[in-house]
Amino acid sequence: SEKEIIRLLLKYGSNELDRRVRSEDGKEEIIAVSDYVVSEITSDDLSFDDRICAKIFADFRFYSEQGLFPGDKHFVKHEDPDISRLSADLLSDSHELSLIWKNKQTFVETEEMKLREIVPDAVLKFKSDKIVAARKEIMTLLEEAVKGGDKDQILALQKSYNTLSTALGLISRQLGNRILL
């Protein structure tokens, strides 16, 4: 899910995701994919486990806070070869519409046309992966607390686990009641 977030940022970061009217001045505000993704991840204080993805996201966050978009070439030609390699890999299209279908002028819905669905789903999947990892960590701590007989720690961990389970249930409903393991 981390690489999918980075792929969407690299490929569609400057694309318009939504438009909103600001309540304070009534002006229309355009929300780009990068602004939405950065806002959603930073507002929940989440981070990337993959070192390279974390560096790319940090760049996007910096540029987003400045109201700028770095562009995919910034990452493909990055001085860090790992960032450059991952960016090139994520930006390369694995599927292309064949000439037969193009010549028949067949309408095919592209990923870009479905960004309003794809991007929020990818962010929710990213969040659910983080919650699942946190729950596993809590279970490990809970086992240790049970062995040690620390009742206060057990109760605190159970409360944390239940809170995370509730959040995971909400995300599951937003994703169309998918089962998140």
Side-chain angles (χ1 to χ4, degrees):
S1 64
E2 291 185 352
K3 286 183 179 174
E4 177 63 6
I5 291 288
I6 298 303
R7 184 186 74 79
L8 290 169
L9 285 171
L10 289 169
K11 208 163 186 177
Y12 306 111
S14 64
N15 288 39
E16 177 184 318
L17 183 68
D18 201 6
R19 290 176 183 251
R20 295 185 187 140
V21 177
R22 290 190 287 211
S23 57
E24 51 285 350
D25 58 8
K27 289 187 178 179
E28 187 174 54
E29 179 182 28
I30 296 172
I31 294 136
V33 169
S34 60
D35 296 334
Y36 173 81
V37 171
V38 167
S39 169
E40 283 291 312
I41 290 174
T42 56
S43 69
D44 287 338
D45 201 26
L46 299 173
S47 61
F48 286 75
D49 296 328
D50 183 276
R51 180 185 64 80
I52 301 163
C53 289
K55 285 182 179 181
I56 294 172
F57 183 78
D59 269 7
F60 269 102
R61 182 177 182 177
F62 173 78
Y63 283 105
S64 180
E65 289 168 355
Q66 308 303 316
L68 303 169
F69 178 73
D72 56 1
K73 285 183 179 56
H74 169 79
F75 296 101
V76 172
K77 296 182 184 229
H78 203 275
E79 64 268 4
D80 184 334
D82 293 333
I83 290 176
S84 179
R85 189 177 313 109
L86 179 64
S87 299
D89 287 347
L90 293 175
L91 285 167
S92 64
D93 286 325
S94 57
H95 304 289
E96 194 173 314
L97 195 60
S98 76
L99 288 174
I100 295 170
W101 287 106
K102 283 181 184 176
N103 290 338
K104 291 184 182 225
Q105 298 177 346
T106 302
F107 175 77
V108 176
E109 192 172 34
T110 64
E111 184 177 56
E112 192 170 357
M113 294 173 177
K114 296 169 38 172
L115 286 177
R116 285 184 180 202
E117 299 147 28
I118 292 170
V119 172
D121 279 3
V123 169
L124 287 172
K125 177 69 173 102
F126 175 83
K127 289 180 179 184
S128 73
D129 287 351
K130 295 298 175 187
I131 291 171
V132 168
R135 284 185 356 160
K136 284 181 184 175
E137 190 176 316
I138 287 174
M139 285 305 290
T140 303
L141 294 171
L142 191 57
E143 288 172 7
E144 292 171 14
V146 167
K147 287 178 187 172
D150 187 349
K151 291 182 181 181
D152 291 337
Q153 180 73 1
I154 291 169
L155 288 173
L157 289 169
Q158 285 175 333
K159 186 175 180 181
S160 295
Y161 188 87
N162 288 339
T163 302
L164 290 173
S165 294
T166 302
L168 196 61
L170 291 171
I171 289 174
S172 174
R173 279 192 287 290
Q174 288 177 316
L175 287 170
N177 286 323
R178 290 187 213 159
I179 297 173
L180 303 170
L181 303 172

